Short mmCIF file of all heavy atoms in Angstrom, two decimals:
data_model
loop_
_atom_site.label_atom_id
_atom_site.label_comp_id
_atom_site.label_asym_id
_atom_site.label_seq_id
_atom_site.Cartn_x
_atom_site.Cartn_y
_atom_site.Cartn_z
N GLU A 1 102.34 -2.46 104.39
CA GLU A 1 102.88 -1.66 103.25
C GLU A 1 103.81 -0.57 103.79
O GLU A 1 104.86 -0.27 103.21
CB GLU A 1 101.76 -1.06 102.43
CG GLU A 1 102.29 -0.43 101.16
CD GLU A 1 101.19 0.11 100.24
OE1 GLU A 1 100.08 -0.45 100.20
OE2 GLU A 1 101.49 1.12 99.55
N VAL A 2 103.42 0.05 104.91
CA VAL A 2 104.27 1.13 105.50
C VAL A 2 105.56 0.53 106.02
O VAL A 2 106.67 1.08 105.77
CB VAL A 2 103.50 1.88 106.59
CG1 VAL A 2 104.41 2.80 107.37
CG2 VAL A 2 102.33 2.68 105.98
N ASP A 3 105.48 -0.63 106.67
CA ASP A 3 106.70 -1.32 107.15
C ASP A 3 107.63 -1.63 105.99
O ASP A 3 108.86 -1.44 106.10
CB ASP A 3 106.32 -2.63 107.87
CG ASP A 3 105.85 -2.41 109.30
OD1 ASP A 3 105.84 -1.25 109.74
OD2 ASP A 3 105.52 -3.42 109.98
N GLU A 4 107.06 -2.11 104.91
CA GLU A 4 107.85 -2.45 103.72
C GLU A 4 108.50 -1.22 103.11
O GLU A 4 109.68 -1.22 102.76
CB GLU A 4 106.90 -3.15 102.68
CG GLU A 4 107.55 -3.54 101.39
CD GLU A 4 108.76 -4.46 101.53
OE1 GLU A 4 108.79 -5.32 102.43
OE2 GLU A 4 109.70 -4.29 100.71
N ALA A 5 107.73 -0.13 103.04
CA ALA A 5 108.25 1.12 102.46
C ALA A 5 109.43 1.65 103.25
O ALA A 5 110.40 2.17 102.69
CB ALA A 5 107.14 2.17 102.39
N LEU A 6 109.35 1.51 104.58
CA LEU A 6 110.36 2.10 105.47
C LEU A 6 111.44 1.11 105.84
O LEU A 6 112.39 1.43 106.53
CB LEU A 6 109.70 2.67 106.74
CG LEU A 6 108.67 3.78 106.51
CD1 LEU A 6 108.07 4.21 107.82
CD2 LEU A 6 109.28 4.95 105.78
N LYS A 7 111.24 -0.17 105.44
CA LYS A 7 112.20 -1.26 105.80
C LYS A 7 112.40 -1.27 107.32
O LYS A 7 113.52 -1.30 107.81
CB LYS A 7 113.56 -1.06 105.09
CG LYS A 7 113.46 -1.00 103.57
CD LYS A 7 113.21 -2.41 102.99
CE LYS A 7 113.19 -2.44 101.47
NZ LYS A 7 111.86 -2.12 100.93
N GLN A 8 111.29 -1.26 108.04
CA GLN A 8 111.32 -1.17 109.51
C GLN A 8 110.04 -1.80 110.07
O GLN A 8 108.98 -1.73 109.42
CB GLN A 8 111.38 0.33 109.89
CG GLN A 8 111.27 0.57 111.38
CD GLN A 8 110.91 2.02 111.70
OE1 GLN A 8 110.52 2.79 110.80
NE2 GLN A 8 110.98 2.43 112.95
N ASP A 9 110.12 -2.38 111.25
CA ASP A 9 108.91 -2.89 111.90
C ASP A 9 108.25 -1.75 112.68
O ASP A 9 108.23 -1.73 113.89
CB ASP A 9 109.27 -4.07 112.82
CG ASP A 9 108.01 -4.67 113.50
OD1 ASP A 9 106.89 -4.35 113.08
OD2 ASP A 9 108.19 -5.40 114.50
N LEU A 10 107.73 -0.78 111.92
CA LEU A 10 107.09 0.37 112.57
C LEU A 10 105.84 -0.06 113.30
O LEU A 10 105.56 0.46 114.40
CB LEU A 10 106.76 1.45 111.52
CG LEU A 10 106.15 2.75 112.07
CD1 LEU A 10 107.14 3.50 112.96
CD2 LEU A 10 105.67 3.66 110.94
N PHE A 11 105.11 -1.01 112.72
CA PHE A 11 103.87 -1.44 113.39
C PHE A 11 104.17 -2.08 114.73
O PHE A 11 103.46 -1.91 115.72
CB PHE A 11 103.08 -2.41 112.50
CG PHE A 11 101.77 -2.78 113.09
CD1 PHE A 11 100.80 -1.80 113.30
CD2 PHE A 11 101.46 -4.09 113.41
CE1 PHE A 11 99.56 -2.11 113.88
CE2 PHE A 11 100.23 -4.41 113.96
CZ PHE A 11 99.26 -3.42 114.20
N GLY A 12 105.29 -2.83 114.82
CA GLY A 12 105.70 -3.40 116.09
C GLY A 12 105.98 -2.33 117.12
O GLY A 12 105.65 -2.46 118.31
N LEU A 13 106.56 -1.24 116.64
CA LEU A 13 106.84 -0.10 117.52
C LEU A 13 105.56 0.59 117.97
O LEU A 13 105.40 1.01 119.13
CB LEU A 13 107.75 0.87 116.78
CG LEU A 13 108.34 2.06 117.54
CD1 LEU A 13 109.14 1.62 118.74
CD2 LEU A 13 109.23 2.88 116.59
N MET A 14 104.61 0.70 117.03
CA MET A 14 103.33 1.34 117.34
C MET A 14 102.55 0.55 118.39
O MET A 14 101.96 1.14 119.32
CB MET A 14 102.46 1.43 116.05
CG MET A 14 102.94 2.47 115.06
SD MET A 14 102.22 2.22 113.40
CE MET A 14 100.49 2.60 113.71
N THR A 15 102.59 -0.76 118.27
CA THR A 15 101.77 -1.60 119.16
C THR A 15 102.51 -1.97 120.46
O THR A 15 101.89 -2.14 121.51
CB THR A 15 101.32 -2.88 118.44
OG1 THR A 15 102.46 -3.52 117.88
CG2 THR A 15 100.31 -2.59 117.36
N GLY A 16 103.86 -2.06 120.40
CA GLY A 16 104.59 -2.55 121.57
C GLY A 16 105.56 -1.56 122.18
O GLY A 16 106.11 -1.83 123.24
N GLY A 17 105.75 -0.41 121.54
CA GLY A 17 106.70 0.60 122.08
C GLY A 17 108.14 0.17 121.81
O GLY A 17 108.40 -0.65 120.94
N PRO A 18 109.12 0.75 122.53
CA PRO A 18 108.93 1.68 123.67
C PRO A 18 108.41 3.07 123.22
O PRO A 18 108.68 3.48 122.10
CB PRO A 18 110.33 1.77 124.26
CG PRO A 18 111.25 1.50 123.14
CD PRO A 18 110.56 0.50 122.28
N GLU A 19 107.71 3.72 124.12
CA GLU A 19 107.13 5.02 123.83
C GLU A 19 108.19 6.05 123.40
O GLU A 19 107.93 6.85 122.51
CB GLU A 19 106.36 5.54 125.05
CG GLU A 19 105.48 6.72 124.72
CD GLU A 19 104.60 7.16 125.88
OE1 GLU A 19 104.53 6.43 126.89
OE2 GLU A 19 104.01 8.25 125.76
N SER A 20 109.34 5.99 124.05
CA SER A 20 110.42 6.95 123.75
C SER A 20 110.85 6.88 122.29
O SER A 20 111.14 7.90 121.65
CB SER A 20 111.64 6.72 124.63
OG SER A 20 112.10 5.37 124.47
N GLU A 21 110.79 5.68 121.72
CA GLU A 21 111.18 5.49 120.30
C GLU A 21 110.04 5.87 119.38
O GLU A 21 110.24 6.47 118.31
CB GLU A 21 111.58 4.03 120.10
CG GLU A 21 112.70 3.88 119.09
CD GLU A 21 113.23 2.45 119.03
OE1 GLU A 21 113.57 1.86 120.06
OE2 GLU A 21 113.25 1.92 117.92
N LEU A 22 108.81 5.57 119.80
CA LEU A 22 107.64 5.91 118.97
C LEU A 22 107.49 7.42 118.88
O LEU A 22 107.07 7.97 117.85
CB LEU A 22 106.37 5.30 119.60
CG LEU A 22 105.04 5.61 118.87
CD1 LEU A 22 105.05 5.11 117.43
CD2 LEU A 22 103.86 5.01 119.63
N THR A 23 107.84 8.13 119.95
CA THR A 23 107.70 9.60 120.00
C THR A 23 108.72 10.32 119.13
O THR A 23 108.52 11.46 118.78
CB THR A 23 107.82 10.08 121.47
OG1 THR A 23 106.82 9.36 122.21
CG2 THR A 23 107.51 11.54 121.63
N MET A 24 109.81 9.64 118.79
CA MET A 24 110.82 10.25 117.89
C MET A 24 110.15 10.69 116.61
O MET A 24 109.41 9.90 116.00
CB MET A 24 111.97 9.29 117.61
CG MET A 24 112.91 9.13 118.79
SD MET A 24 114.04 7.72 118.56
CE MET A 24 114.96 8.29 117.12
N THR A 25 110.39 11.92 116.19
CA THR A 25 109.70 12.53 115.08
C THR A 25 109.70 11.67 113.81
O THR A 25 108.68 11.52 113.14
CB THR A 25 110.37 13.90 114.75
OG1 THR A 25 110.31 14.68 115.95
CG2 THR A 25 109.64 14.62 113.68
N ALA A 26 110.85 11.03 113.52
CA ALA A 26 110.95 10.23 112.30
C ALA A 26 110.07 8.97 112.35
O ALA A 26 109.73 8.41 111.30
CB ALA A 26 112.40 9.82 112.07
N ASN A 27 109.69 8.54 113.56
CA ASN A 27 108.78 7.37 113.71
C ASN A 27 107.34 7.84 113.91
O ASN A 27 106.42 7.26 113.32
CB ASN A 27 109.19 6.53 114.91
CG ASN A 27 110.53 5.83 114.69
OD1 ASN A 27 110.81 5.40 113.59
ND2 ASN A 27 111.31 5.69 115.75
N ALA A 28 107.17 8.89 114.72
CA ALA A 28 105.79 9.32 115.03
C ALA A 28 105.04 9.77 113.78
O ALA A 28 103.86 9.44 113.60
CB ALA A 28 105.84 10.46 116.04
N GLN A 29 105.74 10.48 112.87
CA GLN A 29 105.05 11.04 111.72
C GLN A 29 104.44 9.94 110.81
O GLN A 29 103.23 9.94 110.54
CB GLN A 29 105.95 11.99 110.93
CG GLN A 29 106.31 13.21 111.76
CD GLN A 29 106.75 14.42 110.95
OE1 GLN A 29 106.49 14.52 109.76
NE2 GLN A 29 107.38 15.38 111.60
N PRO A 30 105.26 8.97 110.34
CA PRO A 30 104.64 7.90 109.51
C PRO A 30 103.67 7.00 110.29
O PRO A 30 102.69 6.51 109.73
CB PRO A 30 105.84 7.08 109.00
CG PRO A 30 107.00 7.47 109.83
CD PRO A 30 106.72 8.84 110.36
N ALA A 31 103.90 6.86 111.62
CA ALA A 31 103.00 6.03 112.44
C ALA A 31 101.59 6.63 112.50
O ALA A 31 100.59 5.92 112.35
CB ALA A 31 103.57 5.83 113.84
N ILE A 32 101.54 7.92 112.76
CA ILE A 32 100.24 8.60 112.88
C ILE A 32 99.51 8.55 111.57
O ILE A 32 98.31 8.31 111.47
CB ILE A 32 100.42 10.07 113.37
CG1 ILE A 32 100.94 10.02 114.83
CG2 ILE A 32 99.17 10.89 113.24
CD1 ILE A 32 101.59 11.34 115.29
N MET A 33 100.26 8.77 110.49
CA MET A 33 99.66 8.71 109.12
C MET A 33 99.13 7.29 108.86
O MET A 33 97.99 7.13 108.39
CB MET A 33 100.72 9.11 108.09
CG MET A 33 100.28 9.06 106.63
SD MET A 33 100.29 7.41 105.85
CE MET A 33 102.02 6.99 105.92
N ALA A 34 99.93 6.27 109.16
CA ALA A 34 99.51 4.87 108.90
C ALA A 34 98.21 4.57 109.63
O ALA A 34 97.29 3.94 109.09
CB ALA A 34 100.62 3.90 109.30
N ASN A 35 98.11 5.02 110.87
CA ASN A 35 96.92 4.75 111.68
C ASN A 35 95.70 5.45 111.07
O ASN A 35 94.61 4.85 110.99
CB ASN A 35 97.17 5.21 113.11
CG ASN A 35 96.11 4.73 114.09
OD1 ASN A 35 95.75 3.55 114.06
ND2 ASN A 35 95.59 5.63 114.88
N SER A 36 95.86 6.71 110.65
CA SER A 36 94.74 7.43 110.05
C SER A 36 94.31 6.83 108.72
O SER A 36 93.11 6.65 108.46
CB SER A 36 95.14 8.90 109.81
OG SER A 36 95.19 9.63 111.00
N VAL A 37 95.28 6.46 107.89
CA VAL A 37 94.95 5.92 106.58
C VAL A 37 94.34 4.51 106.72
O VAL A 37 93.41 4.15 105.98
CB VAL A 37 96.21 5.90 105.66
CG1 VAL A 37 95.95 5.15 104.36
CG2 VAL A 37 96.61 7.34 105.34
N ALA A 38 94.82 3.76 107.68
CA ALA A 38 94.21 2.44 107.94
C ALA A 38 92.76 2.58 108.35
O ALA A 38 91.90 1.81 107.92
CB ALA A 38 94.98 1.69 109.05
N THR A 39 92.50 3.59 109.18
CA THR A 39 91.10 3.87 109.61
C THR A 39 90.21 4.19 108.40
O THR A 39 89.11 3.64 108.26
CB THR A 39 91.08 5.04 110.62
OG1 THR A 39 92.02 4.78 111.66
CG2 THR A 39 89.70 5.25 111.20
N ALA A 40 90.72 5.01 107.50
CA ALA A 40 89.97 5.37 106.28
C ALA A 40 89.79 4.15 105.39
O ALA A 40 88.71 3.95 104.82
CB ALA A 40 90.69 6.47 105.51
N ARG A 41 90.85 3.33 105.28
CA ARG A 41 90.77 2.12 104.44
C ARG A 41 89.75 1.13 104.99
O ARG A 41 88.96 0.55 104.21
CB ARG A 41 92.18 1.49 104.36
CG ARG A 41 92.30 0.21 103.58
CD ARG A 41 92.69 0.38 102.12
NE ARG A 41 93.85 1.16 101.84
CZ ARG A 41 95.05 0.66 101.55
NH1 ARG A 41 95.28 -0.63 101.55
NH2 ARG A 41 96.04 1.49 101.21
N VAL A 42 89.74 0.92 106.30
CA VAL A 42 88.77 -0.01 106.88
C VAL A 42 87.34 0.51 106.72
O VAL A 42 86.41 -0.24 106.38
CB VAL A 42 89.08 -0.24 108.41
CG1 VAL A 42 87.96 -1.00 109.09
CG2 VAL A 42 90.42 -0.97 108.54
N LEU A 43 87.18 1.82 106.87
CA LEU A 43 85.85 2.44 106.71
C LEU A 43 85.31 2.14 105.27
O LEU A 43 84.14 1.84 105.10
CB LEU A 43 85.93 3.93 106.95
CG LEU A 43 84.64 4.73 106.96
CD1 LEU A 43 83.71 4.24 108.09
CD2 LEU A 43 84.92 6.22 107.15
N LYS A 44 86.22 2.23 104.33
CA LYS A 44 85.82 2.02 102.91
C LYS A 44 85.64 0.52 102.59
O LYS A 44 84.60 0.13 102.04
CB LYS A 44 86.89 2.61 102.00
CG LYS A 44 86.55 2.46 100.51
CD LYS A 44 87.65 3.04 99.63
CE LYS A 44 87.33 2.80 98.14
NZ LYS A 44 88.39 3.36 97.30
#
């Protein structure tokens, strides 16, 4: 859903890097959120 919202393979970047691109603020912020929300969703 996050990939679809951003029209980007953000999950591919999260899992495969490169780190320099993942660390870019515009990628890091939604990536960290997606990981936290996924954790909450799985818990539920």
Side-chain angles (χ1 to χ4, degrees):
E1 189 178 328
V2 171
D3 280 359
E4 177 58 34
L6 300 178
K7 303 285 183 274
Q8 174 197 11
D9 182 14
L10 183 65
F11 186 61
L13 187 57
M14 289 163 66
T15 51
E19 192 174 350
S20 57
E21 215 173 307
L22 178 60
T23 304
M24 285 168 64
T25 303
N27 292 324
Q29 295 202 18
I32 292 162
M33 179 279 297
N35 192 47
S36 286
V37 171
T39 307
R41 178 93 52 102
V42 171
L43 187 61
K44 181 182 177 180

